[in-house]
Amino acid sequence: MAINTILMDFKVNEPAKLDSGSNIQTDVHQVLEQFIPGLNMHMMQDCGPDGILILWSGPRSCLVTLRAFRGPGLISISIEYYRGEEEDALLSFDQVRTIESLLIPKLNSIRSHKYPAFKRGGILNRYLVSSDERVLEYDFDKLLFEEKTAHQKVQIYHSPTFGNMLVLDDLQNLADSDIIYTETLMQRGKENYEGKEVLILGGGDGALLWELLKEKPKFVTMLEIDDVVMQSCKKYLRNSCGTCLDNYNGENYKIIVADCVQWLDKYITDGTKFDYVFGDLTDIPLSSTPQGEIWDFIRLILNKALKVLNSTGKFMTHGNGISCPTALAMYEEQLKKLETPVDFSRDHAFVPSFMEDWVFYQFNCTSSCLH
Amino acid sequence: MAINTILMDFKVNEPAKLDSGSNIQTDVHQVLEQFIPGLNMHMMQDCGPDGILILWSGPRSCLVTLRAFRGPGLISISIEYYRGEEEDALLSFDQVRTIESLLIPKLNSIRSHKYPAFKRGGILNRYLVSSDERVLEYDFDKLLFEEKTAHQKVQIYHSPTFGNMLVLDDLQNLADSDIIYTETLMQRGKENYEGKEVLILGGGDGALLWELLKEKPKFVTMLEIDDVVMQSCKKYLRNSCGTCLDNYNGENYKIIVADCVQWLDKYITDGTKFDYVFGDLTDIPLSSTPQGEIWDFIRLILNKALKVLNSTGKFMTHGNGISCPTALAMYEEQLKKLETPVDFSRDHAFVPSFMEDWVFYQFNCTSSCLH
């Protein structure tokens, strides 16, 4: 059950076409009522420079809104109705296509577009956004898990395309399809983890830990703040995390449910060092205006992480979508402001469930780096 | 320049909340006017069982439409305005997020969702659909080529994520990122094309021809009906087609601009045979109700193609998204109705620019197949 909203738009070549609302009313109504019998005009207003506004109402709480923007010569139409659990769609996408093709000659339109219905307000939300705020509709068919924790909203969906998929606060995190994410993050084949001490900050889905364990490290410590993420991934993301979340104290690894900042401070005080530290925490913020607190947090983590690396150590982390060059540049700006200077390299990979190309960073302390 | 439409929706737990339109009007207006100064109520109507309808209007031709659906306890809001070429957005997505968080307590909402603005009516359309009719917003930043031919609308967009991308009649066709498409279609590494006679039906982007030529075939013949596709791909899709579209008569290939049906008939009459025939024509129709003509066309092509295969020959083609099990099943149904019986195998791959997993078919004539 959901509100269905169908959007269409038409570019009109002759501004004269938009002179009279009543012509548009008649033309559009004639087409629409073939598909929505019982549709009646509810209201029509000429709003002067703001154009024309026409409302029609019909069965199934259907409201059709038409706006004609005189300046740019554009017409927008929205068809909105309520679709109950067992009800058929009021209009199929094929019918929407037909409506478009019938309206084009009536409106003398030179360019037009239609969208499949947006399904709104249901239990299962299928719409997420990309790193650069584009709308992506997923083929989710089941919500397997949902819980609001003290830290975030944790959801696991099933998608025929991507398998089970972890979504945190409406952000794509990791799906069954995304081994490339973990392999690019850890630079599999380029880095040698055998016999190494590794620290993971975050990483609650368990995928990084699971893949690292295959490389025979000496010991991996993982610091994850949200146990609900791990418990849900243990159940629904086993394709990615294997058995490593079944036991928080393994032979050559341990998982600590804690805030990583406190533990980093403890390691700094103790003088504990690692060969690799992974930053697998929250995403880089998108906004191009510096959002003080978030960048401060990123620098805070980086400064502390670099202090627990041994002299040949590396810090590896995920960046952002390549569609966000501004956010990536700002992240790289932050690196110049760190207490110890760093060299960095970048890699990228198309992550299926993100539906975009993602950037990953690898940091080396430079020769001047003090330990 | 485009019409921007921002959709939000709220599930309300207490139906009593929806009793009075004027309470909702006051609450929502109070939040919205912080972000859209000068927003005024334009109309409010109680439509009984159909719920409440409120319109506000404001600067920049802004019209806000709110509908409260009493039965399911849902509220939908649409904020629509015109954004000129050089103008800032009326609301950033961060502001939309803030509006959502302010409205949740006011509306006693237990579930809510917001979408980034749909940018409608501009020259560059960024919205395409998946095989199962989901909305996908691409990061297109340039329309490199557009022409309406006698056969279809041919467009080439540039995307930072996928590179240059061929779009035919608003359907994703092939992008720079999609070598996996061609490699899965041709089953690279599993089939041996060396010294073989190959026929391509369609394939106007040139990618299949280009990759096949690397495998040292004896000769490849390509039958493509739309020269505009080839001319535009030659210019903008060189990453995929290399130099093979520069000359339609190569050393070991030729491209014939023609309807493949006529040529298939000619080959059948002549007794010309091929080791491989590729079907790289229009997509399988999505609809689950048999659309007579389209399935007839698919069977027609298959029947003719099988007749020009030699006794160990194979027919290879693309199928549909795995999100369309019904359409795939119907396609496989058609195979039982062919004049000569076929065995088939399936492969699949995630095609980056399609943003979905795609199915490919390989057909063998069965032992009973007559030649």
Side-chain angles (χ1 to χ4, degrees):
Chain A
M1 51 147 250
I3 298 167
N4 278 22
T5 304
I6 297 160
L7 303 180
M8 311 183 76
D9 42 70
F10 299 87
K11 166 77 177 168
V12 177
N13 212 14
E14 305 162 73
K17 192 76 203 174
L18 305 183
D19 276 355
S20 148
S22 60
N23 284 352
I24 296 178
Q25 198 289 122
T26 313
D27 285 347
V28 175
H29 185 258
Q30 210 172 71
V31 169
L32 290 182
E33 73 171 350
Q34 298 172 39
F35 300 86
I36 314 171
L39 192 73
N40 292 307
M41 189 173 77
H42 189 81
M43 191 187 103
M44 178 161 69
Q45 276 190 352
D46 197 307
C47 312
D50 278 358
I52 301 156
L53 170 65
I54 307 172
L55 302 183
W56 295 267
S57 59
R60 297 173 66 178
S61 304
C62 179
L63 182 76
V64 179
T65 313
L66 178 146
R67 300 186 69 198
F69 296 78
R70 288 206 169 98
L74 288 173
I75 292 175
S76 74
I77 295 178
S78 151
I79 303 171
E80 185 169 301
Y81 68 100
Y82 179 73
R83 183 176 176 184
E85 198 70 57
E86 300 292 322
E87 283 182 295
D88 283 339
L90 180 65
L91 297 172
S92 71
F93 194 41
D94 272 343
Q95 288 176 311
V96 174
R97 281 194 191 99
T98 309
I99 291 173
E100 181 193 28
S101 65
L102 293 171
L103 284 176
I104 286 171
K106 291 227 181 232
L107 298 171
N108 282 330
S109 173
I110 50 165
R111 197 170 63 230
S112 62
H113 194 66
K114 71 280 167 192
Y115 301 71
F118 294 99
K119 293 150 289 274
R120 304 162 62 193
I123 289 169
L124 198 123
N125 168 50
R126 292 159 55 106
Y127 304 89
L128 299 176
V129 298
S130 67
S131 62
D132 56 337
E133 296 178 347
R134 287 176 286 117
V135 176
L136 301 170
E137 182 177 353
Y138 284 76
D139 59 350
F140 296 148
D141 53 9
K142 254 180 249 149
L143 177 60
L144 299 167
F145 180 87
E146 181 171 54
E147 189 174 328
K148 281 188 189 170
T149 74
H151 308 287
Q152 56 204 335
K153 182 170 74 177
V154 180
Q155 294 175 307
I156 297 180
Y157 287 95
H158 176 262
S159 146
T161 302
F162 304 117
N164 290 355
M165 180 166 166
L166 174 67
V167 177
L168 298 178
D169 280 342
D170 297 326
L171 288 174
Q172 301 89 330
N173 225 264
L174 196 84
D176 285 344
S177 56
D178 301 342
I179 180 75
I180 189 74
Y181 178 94
T182 306
E183 296 201 319
T184 314
L185 173 59
M186 69 189 275
Q187 297 283 291
R188 176 164 271 165
K190 296 181 195 162
E191 297 292 336
N192 179 9
Y193 295 97
E194 199 173 333
K196 301 290 168 64
E197 286 279 355
V198 184
L199 177 65
I200 301 173
L201 312 177
D205 52 60
L208 177 60
L209 175 57
W210 183 241
E211 296 305 324
L212 282 170
L213 290 175
K214 295 177 184 170
E215 312 263 326
K216 301 183 183 146
K218 186 173 171 201
F219 202 85
V220 185
T221 305
M222 179 167 131
L223 303 170
E224 166 61 49
I225 202 167
D226 197 341
D227 198 30
V228 172
V229 173
M230 294 193 283
Q231 287 302 310
S232 56
C233 290
K234 173 181 140 177
K235 186 162 178 191
Y236 295 109
L237 230 67
R238 291 189 84 78
N239 194 48
S240 300
C241 66
T243 58
C244 75
L245 298 176
D246 294 355
N247 191 339
Y248 289 4
N249 286 288
E251 217 173 282
N252 58 344
Y253 73 92
K254 71 175 170 214
I255 297 167
I256 303 170
V257 183
D259 182 344
C260 70
V261 175
Q262 292 164 16
W263 279 81
L264 282 169
D265 284 339
K266 185 181 166 306
Y267 292 141
I268 292 167
T269 311
D270 293 354
T272 309
K273 300 278 184 189
F274 298 88
D275 298 304
Y276 289 94
V277 178
F278 283 92
D280 202 7
L281 298 162
T282 14
D283 286 336
I284 297 179
L286 171 80
S287 174
S288 59
T289 43
Q291 291 175 286
E293 287 180 21
I294 298 167
W295 292 116
D296 285 352
F297 177 71
I298 284 174
R299 282 204 313 276
L300 176 94
I301 295 288
L302 270 168
N303 278 322
K304 289 185 191 294
L306 293 171
K307 288 197 181 108
V308 302
L309 275 180
N310 69 34
S311 60
T312 56
K314 284 191 178 177
F315 180 80
M316 329 259 281
T317 191
H318 54 84
N320 210 322
I322 61 151
S323 306
C324 297
T326 320
L328 288 166
M330 285 197 67
Y331 182 75
E332 292 171 19
E333 263 318 294
Q334 303 304 309
L335 305 179
K336 297 184 187 157
K337 301 179 192 163
L338 297 178
E339 292 166 17
T340 40
V342 289
D343 283 339
F344 69 88
S345 54
R346 277 167 66 153
D347 195 2
H348 69 103
F350 185 85
V351 182
S353 85
F354 293 9
M355 304 196 206
E356 55 177 327
D357 218 55
W358 209 255
V359 174
F360 298 83
Y361 287 99
Q362 304 84 40
F363 302 110
N364 292 299
C365 286
T366 59
S367 49
S368 63
C369 171
L370 297 172
H371 284 280
Chain B
M1 50 145 254
I3 298 168
N4 278 24
T5 305
I6 298 160
L7 303 179
M8 312 184 74
D9 42 70
F10 299 87
K11 165 79 178 168
V12 178
N13 212 14
E14 304 162 74
K17 191 74 202 174
L18 305 183
D19 276 356
S20 150
S22 60
N23 284 352
I24 295 178
Q25 198 288 123
T26 314
D27 285 347
V28 175
H29 185 257
Q30 209 172 71
V31 170
L32 290 182
E33 73 171 351
Q34 297 171 41
F35 299 86
I36 313 171
L39 191 73
N40 292 307
M41 190 173 78
H42 188 82
M43 191 188 104
M44 178 161 69
Q45 278 191 349
D46 197 309
C47 312
D50 278 356
I52 301 156
L53 170 64
I54 308 172
L55 303 183
W56 295 267
S57 59
R60 297 173 65 178
S61 304
C62 179
L63 181 76
V64 179
T65 313
L66 178 147
R67 301 187 67 199
F69 296 79
R70 287 205 169 100
L74 288 172
I75 292 175
S76 74
I77 296 178
S78 151
I79 304 171
E80 185 169 300
Y81 67 99
Y82 180 72
R83 184 177 175 184
E85 197 71 56
E86 299 292 321
E87 283 182 296
D88 283 338
L90 180 65
L91 297 172
S92 71
F93 194 42
D94 273 343
Q95 287 176 311
V96 174
R97 281 193 190 97
T98 309
I99 290 173
E100 180 192 29
S101 66
L102 292 171
L103 285 176
I104 286 170
K106 291 227 182 233
L107 299 171
N108 283 329
S109 171
I110 52 165
R111 198 171 62 232
S112 63
H113 194 66
K114 71 280 167 194
Y115 301 71
F118 294 100
K119 294 152 285 279
R120 306 161 63 194
I123 290 170
L124 199 122
N125 168 51
R126 291 159 55 105
Y127 304 89
L128 299 176
V129 299
S130 67
S131 62
D132 57 337
E133 296 178 348
R134 287 176 286 116
V135 176
L136 301 170
E137 183 179 352
Y138 284 76
D139 59 350
F140 297 148
D141 53 9
K142 253 179 252 148
L143 178 59
L144 298 168
F145 179 87
E146 182 171 56
E147 188 173 327
K148 283 188 190 169
T149 74
H151 308 287
Q152 57 205 336
K153 181 172 72 178
V154 180
Q155 294 176 306
I156 297 180
Y157 287 96
H158 176 262
S159 145
T161 301
F162 304 117
N164 289 355
M165 181 166 165
L166 173 67
V167 177
L168 298 178
D169 279 342
D170 296 327
L171 288 174
Q172 303 88 329
N173 224 264
L174 195 84
D176 284 345
S177 56
D178 301 341
I179 179 75
I180 188 74
Y181 178 94
T182 305
E183 296 201 320
T184 314
L185 174 59
M186 69 191 272
Q187 297 283 291
R188 176 164 272 165
K190 296 180 195 161
E191 297 292 336
N192 179 10
Y193 294 98
E194 200 173 332
K196 301 291 169 62
E197 285 279 355
V198 184
L199 176 66
I200 301 174
L201 312 176
D205 53 59
L208 177 60
L209 174 58
W210 183 240
E211 295 306 324
L212 281 171
L213 290 175
K214 295 177 185 171
E215 313 262 328
K216 300 179 187 149
K218 186 173 170 200
F219 202 84
V220 185
T221 306
M222 180 167 133
L223 303 170
E224 166 61 49
I225 202 167
D226 198 342
D227 198 32
V228 172
V229 173
M230 295 193 282
Q231 287 303 311
S232 56
C233 289
K234 171 181 141 179
K235 185 162 178 192
Y236 295 109
L237 231 67
R238 291 189 82 80
N239 195 47
S240 300
C241 66
T243 58
C244 75
L245 298 176
D246 294 356
N247 191 339
Y248 289 4
N249 286 288
E251 217 173 283
N252 58 344
Y253 73 92
K254 71 176 169 213
I255 298 168
I256 303 170
V257 183
D259 183 344
C260 69
V261 175
Q262 293 164 14
W263 278 82
L264 282 169
D265 285 339
K266 183 181 166 307
Y267 292 140
I268 292 168
T269 311
D270 294 352
T272 310
K273 300 278 182 188
F274 297 88
D275 299 304
Y276 289 96
V277 177
F278 284 92
D280 201 7
L281 298 162
T282 15
D283 286 336
I284 296 178
L286 172 81
S287 176
S288 59
T289 43
Q291 290 176 286
E293 289 179 22
I294 298 167
W295 292 117
D296 286 350
F297 177 71
I298 285 173
R299 281 204 313 278
L300 176 94
I301 295 289
L302 270 167
N303 278 323
K304 289 184 190 295
L306 293 171
K307 288 198 183 109
V308 302
L309 275 180
N310 70 33
S311 61
T312 56
K314 284 190 178 177
F315 180 79
M316 330 259 282
T317 191
H318 54 84
N320 210 323
I322 60 153
S323 308
C324 297
T326 319
L328 289 167
M330 286 196 65
Y331 182 74
E332 292 169 22
E333 260 322 291
Q334 303 306 310
L335 304 180
K336 297 182 188 157
K337 301 179 192 162
L338 296 178
E339 292 166 16
T340 38
V342 290
D343 283 338
F344 69 89
S345 55
R346 276 168 65 153
D347 195 1
H348 69 102
F350 185 85
V351 182
S353 85
F354 293 9
M355 304 199 206
E356 56 178 324
D357 219 52
W358 210 256
V359 174
F360 297 83
Y361 287 98
Q362 304 84 42
F363 302 110
N364 291 300
C365 286
T366 59
S367 48
S368 63
C369 174
L370 296 174
H371 283 280

